Amino acid sequence: MYRDVQIVVKKSDEIYEYFDLIAHKANNLYNASLFRLRQIMTGLNKDSKALSDNELEVFREVDRTVAINTKLSRPTKKNPYVSYQFLYHMMYINENPDYICDDLPSQTAQQVLKVVVQDMKSFLKSKSDYLKNRHKYLGEPKIPKYKNPGGKYSFKFTNQQVVIDEDLISFPKTKIKLDKFSYINKEWKLKEVKIVPVHNVYVMHMTFDDMLDNRAIKQKHERICAIDLGVNNFVAMTNNFNKPSMLFKGGRVKSVNHWYNKTIAKLISKQTKGTTNKYVPTTKYKAITLKRNNIMSDFMHKVARRVVDYCIEENVDTLVVGDNKGWKQEVKLSKVENQKFVQIPFDRFKNNLEYLCKREGIELVFTEESYTSKASHLDNDKIPNLNDTAIEFSGVRGPTKYLGRTNTNGYRGLYMRKTDNTVINSDLNGSANIGRKAFPLYTCSLDTFKNILVVKDPN
């Protein structure tokens, strides 16, 4: 199983300038490589007499490459794809100065070329699929863009370039070393190191194979938990084994976003007031954004960890999470509520949950959650799917009437059962219905709804 160890490198650290230099060189190489792939793609669709000067120069490089390495096939209009092998030989044979660079380690340069090729391959594949299945996309796929001139770009070191001994971490083409962190186990096997520029710092992601096997997923669905994600209650979790439900409050996330939006608005206003100029991010802006992102990342990881620890403690074999694709694009709330919702990185939480569940042998199931907040779980209302019409449930045709209602007596966040006016938390009602959507026999008792464990801080 892989695990990611992150180390933040600040300007005050000795190795910062080393990373900074390589990031600039990697940025130049990315643009130089992408330039050639774009010229090849556009030039193949033109008559030879209509080629631009840039396209002509790139095709001269292509011809020179094919003439020297006869095993390579020249790109054609029918097959414009340029492989990594072709691009590598093209840059090497033509002695491209951005590729053959003293400050850029060779294997790191090769990793940049692979990223460029993959970006273009993904574009061509998605563009081809878009022409056949437009309904699957929010918009037409766009060709990869150039990075900002003089900017910084993330880069990788292979496990052949980075050496970890008992106390120090060594890098290629420098005598500067980093202290090895105590929590890096000597039994772990290094796979790669990725350096990412983020708001005036560098985050070093060290990927290790911890040599531990994932726990086998139990081939049964008996003890199940279901999760509904939201804003006020970030996680509402119910279960089918008559234990108290759980609510992870979203106040921390909301307050951080409120502070961030208010502070950034002041910075933008101060710089642009009385002008028509666009805002240029300052050092303070980047520091505030980095702090906000770190808080969010920490919160998402800790909540996911608490959820999975609970599942382990209660011997849960299956976890169900509501997941509506494109919900942030289609959300129709007020301006304030829309901002709160869209700024919460739900996908990051889901990714953390997926990783932890896989490691612990818990099956994670994602299911669409249409009508789960409206149907009454205690009354066993049938829950239609998003595109269903004229479905009969609870004796009513169509997904419009249910044996319960939200917003009872002016109190938000409650759900009232119509048969006996029993009131439960509306997010927990939605969570239970999400579980029932994935597993029709999933049932929560009234005691589970009434007994609630509230977690305000996941620390």
Side-chain angles (χ1 to χ4, degrees):
M1 189 72 183
Y2 290 166
R3 66 169 68 222
D4 180 54
V5 174
Q6 297 183 20
I7 300 173
V8 176
V9 176
K10 302 178 181 179
K11 282 188 174 181
S12 56
D13 295 323
E14 186 181 9
I15 204 168
Y16 181 91
E17 290 187 7
Y18 168 74
F19 285 166
D20 201 52
L21 177 61
I22 297 180
H24 283 293
K25 298 299 181 182
N27 190 81
N28 295 342
L29 179 57
Y30 183 96
N31 286 341
S33 305
L34 182 61
F35 169 78
R36 282 153 179 79
L37 298 191
R38 290 180 59 146
Q39 299 306 312
I40 290 173
M41 188 182 70
T42 56
L44 290 172
N45 293 313
K46 295 181 180 179
D47 183 86
S48 58
K49 296 181 180 179
L51 294 177
S52 66
D53 291 340
N54 286 336
E55 290 166 343
L56 284 171
E57 181 57 35
V58 170
F59 277 111
R60 289 191 193 100
E61 292 185 5
V62 170
D63 293 337
R64 195 177 302 123
T65 302
V66 175
I68 294 177
N69 191 331
T70 56
K71 294 181 180 179
L72 297 174
S73 299
R74 193 178 192 276
T76 62
K77 183 177 181 179
K78 187 176 181 181
N79 183 21
Y81 172 69
V82 178
S83 67
Y84 161 72
Q85 290 294 334
F86 192 98
L87 180 61
Y88 161 73
H89 284 96
M90 182 176 171
M91 302 294 276
Y92 182 77
I93 289 172
N94 290 281
E95 298 181 350
N96 184 276
D98 291 310
Y99 179 74
I100 303 176
C101 175
D102 292 337
D103 298 318
L104 189 62
S106 59
Q107 291 189 39
T108 300
Q110 291 167 13
Q111 294 296 319
V112 174
L113 297 188
K114 289 179 180 179
V115 173
V116 178
V117 169
Q118 183 59 48
D119 286 350
M120 185 60 74
K121 181 180 179 180
S122 298
F123 163 71
L124 293 173
K125 185 178 179 179
S126 58
K127 183 64 179 291
S128 176
D129 186 55
Y130 170 79
L131 296 175
K132 300 174 184 176
N133 306 292
R134 295 184 182 233
H135 64 280
K136 291 168 52 179
Y137 296 81
L138 296 174
E140 183 176 355
K142 298 184 183 295
I143 192 169
K145 294 182 179 180
Y146 297 112
K147 307 302 177 185
N148 291 332
K152 306 173 184 179
Y153 184 62
S154 58
F155 58 92
K156 294 180 181 179
F157 294 125
T158 67
N159 56 6
Q160 296 175 335
Q161 294 174 283
V162 178
V163 178
I164 302 178
D165 57 24
E166 292 295 325
D167 302 308
L168 299 172
I169 304 173
S170 304
F171 300 91
K173 293 194 173 185
T174 182
K175 295 181 179 179
I176 303 172
K177 301 179 187 293
L178 278 181
D179 292 333
K180 179 186 142 185
F181 282 71
S182 58
Y183 53 78
I184 297 178
N185 193 307
K186 64 179 181 180
E187 301 298 329
W188 295 352
K189 184 178 180 181
L190 181 66
K191 304 303 290 184
E192 72 171 22
V193 177
K194 185 174 183 179
I195 314 297
V196 182
V198 182
H199 301 299
N200 286 341
V201 302
Y202 285 96
V203 180
M204 183 168 70
H205 297 265
M206 304 185 73
T207 303
F208 291 93
D209 183 349
D210 60 14
M211 312 306 288
L212 298 175
D213 294 331
N214 296 337
R215 295 184 183 179
I217 292 178
K218 301 172 184 177
Q219 299 301 316
K220 57 183 180 179
H221 306 292
E222 295 177 354
R223 296 178 69 83
I224 306 172
C225 284
I227 286 178
D228 181 30
L229 299 176
V231 179
N232 292 325
N233 294 316
F234 178 71
V235 168
M237 185 166 68
T238 56
N239 60 76
N240 68 342
F241 41 84
N242 203 32
K243 286 295 183 72
S245 54
M246 295 184 71
L247 290 177
F248 289 84
K249 305 302 289 183
R252 172 66 169 160
V253 172
K254 289 170 62 178
S255 64
V256 169
N257 275 335
H258 177 72
W259 160 79
Y260 175 76
N261 292 329
K262 188 176 180 179
T263 306
I264 294 302
K266 287 181 179 179
L267 290 178
I268 294 175
S269 176
K270 185 177 180 180
Q271 186 186 105
T272 61
K273 188 175 181 179
T275 72
T276 57
N277 299 332
K278 289 185 178 181
Y279 178 71
V280 179
T282 61
T283 300
K284 187 174 182 179
Y285 170 91
K286 293 178 179 179
I288 292 171
T289 302
L290 179 63
K291 181 178 180 179
R292 180 258 180 190
N293 292 345
N294 286 341
I295 293 173
M296 286 292 179
S297 180
D298 180 70
F299 180 85
M300 299 301 153
H301 177 77
K302 287 180 177 176
V303 173
R305 183 72 261 179
R306 284 288 298 272
V307 168
V308 172
D309 284 346
Y310 173 84
C311 291
I312 296 171
E313 181 182 337
E314 296 295 341
N315 200 26
V316 172
D317 52 64
T318 309
L319 184 61
V320 183
V321 180
D323 181 35
N324 284 340
K325 296 186 182 301
W327 61 342
K328 287 194 175 184
Q329 285 77 18
E330 299 169 4
V331 64
K332 295 179 180 179
L333 303 172
S334 66
K335 183 178 180 181
V336 175
E337 293 301 320
N338 188 34
Q339 186 182 62
K340 292 178 184 177
F341 178 76
V342 172
Q343 284 190 317
I344 299 176
F346 292 105
D347 281 346
R348 186 179 303 173
F349 171 76
K350 293 175 187 176
N351 291 337
N352 290 339
L353 205 59
E354 190 170 15
Y355 162 77
L356 293 171
C357 284
K358 186 176 180 181
R359 174 176 283 276
E360 301 298 341
I362 300 169
E363 183 170 356
L364 182 62
V365 178
F366 291 105
T367 183
E368 65 96 13
E369 55 180 73
S370 56
Y371 304 107
T372 54
S373 62
K374 296 182 178 181
S376 173
H377 183 81
L378 293 175
D379 293 305
N380 201 32
D381 276 347
K382 290 184 179 178
I383 313 171
N385 291 323
L386 186 61
N387 297 321
D388 291 345
T389 57
I391 297 175
E392 183 175 348
F393 61 98
S394 302
V396 181
R397 299 286 293 182
T400 54
K401 295 183 179 180
Y402 303 86
L403 294 179
R405 60 191 175 91
T406 57
N407 197 18
T408 60
N409 298 326
Y411 291 97
R412 298 183 61 184
L414 299 178
Y415 189 93
M416 179 180 287
R417 183 182 185 183
K418 188 175 291 185
T419 53
D420 57 6
N421 291 338
T422 299
V423 175
I424 61 176
N425 183 283
S426 59
D427 288 335
L428 293 177
N429 178 70
S431 167
N433 284 331
I434 286 171
R436 191 153 58 90
K437 221 168 195 193
F439 299 97
L441 297 180
Y442 180 88
T443 304
C444 293
S445 66
L446 184 58
D447 286 342
T448 297
F449 287 119
K450 291 294 185 179
N451 300 320
I452 305 173
L453 175 61
V454 179
V455 181
K456 294 185 178 180
D457 189 347
N459 289 313

